[in-house]
Amino acid sequence: DTAVSQTPKYLVTQMGNDKSIKCEQNLGHDTMYWYKQDSKKFLKIMFSYNNKELIINETVPNRFSPKSPDKAHLNLHINSLELGDSAVYFCASSQSGGRANYGYTFGSGTRLTVV
Amino acid sequence: DQQVKQNSPSLSVQEGRISILNCDYTNSMFDYFLWYKKYPAEGPTFLISISSIKDKNEDGRFTVFLNKSAKHLSLHIVPSQPGDSAVYFCAASVQAGTALIFGKGTTLSVSS
């Protein structure tokens, strides 16, 4: 039973389209994240939600809008997709206030290709 | 500006020898440090961590060393195995459970 699951795993779409990536965790964690891994392999945080509340919103275009209907889900909606949005997007979860060696649990990633 | 730096993009080691992966950081507020391992087409998986109150943490073949004065940590893998071949990310946070800042990763190749 997958702890953090993302769908879809691959997404190819045209510029200008709107798309969503879904993420669900069954670990009972209270914090969820979206990370972007760009072509330079750099993993960079985009958003963080704690108990459905946005707590981190890094410098990300407002075409990206996260939505957390409950603490087990964090979806990412992207409007007006651009070529530069092509990347692998990782969802992760963690338990706030936990021990350091809790770490994050990551999903397997969604490879988005904008053509 | 990168707060966590892994200056070696790749490392090649023979099976049975020691692998040493290095990481430097600039933010003195970082309190927790973690190493993640990533295989192709998979998400990163947690490997080992260390709190800033310690200078060493060991788990089986994996040991992480922290030198706070130098703002440097390293991951030692002894003995290295072919299955250890992966990308290793160093990460840090100012508090357990808060957002992790990642380095760019080091690709480790262990040959048999």
Side-chain angles (χ1 to χ4, degrees), chain A residues 9 19 22-24 26 40 59 68 83 88 93 102 113:
Chain A
K9 193 169 177 65
K19 290 293 178 186
K22 296 184 177 181
C23 180
E24 176 182 2
N26 62 6
K40 296 179 181 177
T59 307
S68 182
L83 293 176
V88 182
S93 70
Y102 243 45
T113 303

Side-chain angles (χ1 to χ4, degrees), chain B residues 11 13-14 17-21 75-78 80 108 110:
Chain B
L11 174 68
V13 172
Q14 281 195 319
R17 308 293 284 265
I18 184 171
S19 295
I20 300 176
L21 297 103
L75 174 68
H76 293 209
I77 306 173
V78 183
S80 301
L108 173 65
V110 180

Side-chain angles (χ1 to χ4, degrees), chain A residues 9-10 31 33 35 37 40-43 45 48 56 90 94-109, chain B residues 2 4 32-34 36 38 41-46 48-51 57 89 95-105:
Chain A
K9 193 169 177 65
Y10 300 97
T31 306
Y33 311 83
Y35 276 80
Q37 187 179 34
K40 296 179 181 177
K41 307 301 181 186
F42 201 21
L43 264 171
I45 186 153
S48 171
I56 292 176
F90 287 99
S94 70
Q95 184 61 33
S96 62
R99 296 179 303 162
N101 54 0
Y102 243 45
Y104 286 11
T105 302
F106 279 88
S108 58
Chain B
Q2 288 183 60
V4 177
Y32 293 97
F33 303 88
L34 306 91
Y36 280 79
K38 185 183 179 303
E42 293 183 13
T45 55
F46 171 73
I48 192 169
S49 67
I50 189 166
S51 163
N57 188 24
F89 289 97
Q95 184 181 340
T98 60
L100 291 176
I101 309 299
F102 284 83
K104 283 191 174 183

